[in-house]
Amino acid sequence: MPKFAANLTMLFKELPELERFDAAAEAGFEAVEVLFPYDMQASDILTSLSRNKLSLELINCPPPNYTGGPRGYAAIPGGEERFRHDFKRTLRYANALGARLVHIMAGPAQGPEARETFVANLRWASDIAQKQMLTIEPINDSDMPGYFLNNFDLAADILDEVAAPNLALQFDTYHAYRIHGDVKACWDKHNHLVGHIQIGGIPDRHEPAGGPFDYPAFFKMLDETGYDGVVSAEYFPSGKTTPSGLGWMGLRPVK
């Protein structure tokens, strides 16, 4: 089985934020994601990671939480100064917390100028943060209407254009299904660009079990092909508590 990470922004929400690290380790996760860690003290996060022997896989850019504002702005023409200012803040958090990946959110935008802006910002970010791995993630139009990066083929073209060794594709199986329908075909076409994997149930984004996509076969394929990255659980638990739905992991009995 792959190494699993828990997205603590979506899992264990029945607990306060810092208690989620303990719960994730108890459930058998070896790593975590925190999409927006900016409201917590970095020292508290580091203590929680160290106490539970967890690695921090990913945080999102921009800070802070996007509630009430655009979901990213790396592709928004005219927002270059804001993006660069906030990317530097994200980079400080990533360095302090030892985050392996920073996901750069494109935001709501359309057209050739948005693409040019996104490419320019990605080139700039990749250049000033050469020791930090970065990702971009296609997100479906239903979950984020108007989001610029809404197609895996578009993401592949942009990655080829930027051509930065520290910029990779973030492959979310749920979004791949919602955008393209055939997750396996999408994976086969773009897996050479993938630097991080996220999973969620299809079609409802609950636990990754059942439904039209064969997750056990997917995990077996990752093992057989030597994928050595983390697979992050990014979904909305269907039960009252997260551990009650973790049978899909196959790691240990759940409470």
Side-chain angles (χ1 to χ4, degrees):
M1 294 287 278
K3 178 181 177 181
F4 291 114
N7 184 306
L8 299 186
T9 304
M10 297 172 69
L11 301 186
F12 302 101
K13 292 185 71 173
E14 63 270 20
L15 298 171
E17 287 181 314
L18 286 173
E19 292 182 21
R20 298 175 195 176
F21 294 86
D22 303 309
E26 174 64 23
F29 288 101
E30 300 179 63
V32 295
E33 297 178 347
V34 183
L35 299 186
F36 301 101
Y38 307 102
D39 291 334
M40 290 184 280
Q41 292 292 327
S43 58
D44 291 338
I45 296 176
L46 286 171
T47 297
S48 297
L49 291 169
S50 177
R51 179 173 64 247
N52 291 291
K53 298 181 180 179
L54 293 167
S55 62
L56 179 62
E57 284 297 304
L58 178 141
I59 63 175
N60 276 0
C61 177
N65 193 317
Y66 51 60
T67 301
R71 300 189 175 190
Y73 31 82
I76 298 178
E80 293 87 347
E81 183 176 350
R82 180 184 180 187
F83 168 76
R84 295 182 182 197
H85 175 272
D86 282 354
F87 178 80
K88 290 177 181 178
R89 183 183 176 201
T90 297
L91 195 59
R92 290 195 295 271
Y93 266 83
N95 289 337
L97 298 175
R100 188 176 73 89
L101 300 166
V102 169
H103 166 215
I104 296 177
M105 300 190 72
Q110 296 181 17
E113 189 178 0
R115 179 184 174 126
E116 291 173 7
T117 301
F118 195 37
V119 168
N121 279 331
L122 291 174
R123 283 176 171 160
W124 174 86
S126 300
D127 183 59
I128 72 156
Q130 295 182 19
K131 295 182 179 180
Q132 175 66 60
M133 281 300 302
L134 310 172
T135 65
I136 57 173
E137 177 189 23
I139 298 176
N140 75 82
D141 283 328
S142 295
D143 283 27
M144 289 192 186
Y147 194 76
F148 172 75
L149 194 63
N150 60 3
N151 185 284
F152 278 79
D153 295 331
L154 173 61
D157 288 346
I158 287 173
L159 287 169
D160 287 343
E161 185 173 350
V162 176
N166 58 331
L167 180 65
L169 178 66
Q170 189 166 312
F171 189 94
D172 187 306
T173 56
Y174 165 76
H175 289 302
Y177 173 79
R178 295 297 299 269
I179 295 169
H180 296 287
D182 190 332
V183 179
K184 181 62 165 55
C186 188
W187 170 265
D188 289 342
K189 185 175 183 179
H190 299 300
N191 69 77
H192 64 289
L193 299 170
V194 172
H196 186 52
I197 297 172
Q198 293 173 326
I199 57 173
I202 295 170
D204 54 13
R205 210 177 191 182
H206 292 312
E207 286 77 5
F213 186 63
D214 190 341
Y215 273 108
F218 183 64
F219 298 152
K220 181 179 179 182
M221 179 273 297
L222 293 177
D223 288 341
E224 292 175 347
T225 56
Y227 176 76
D228 60 358
V230 164
V231 175
S232 180
E234 188 186 50
Y235 62 85
F236 300 106
S238 59
K240 292 183 179 180
T241 66
T242 299
S244 64
L246 291 178
W248 61 270
M249 290 174 62
L251 294 178
R252 61 171 61 189
V254 295
K255 295 179 181 178

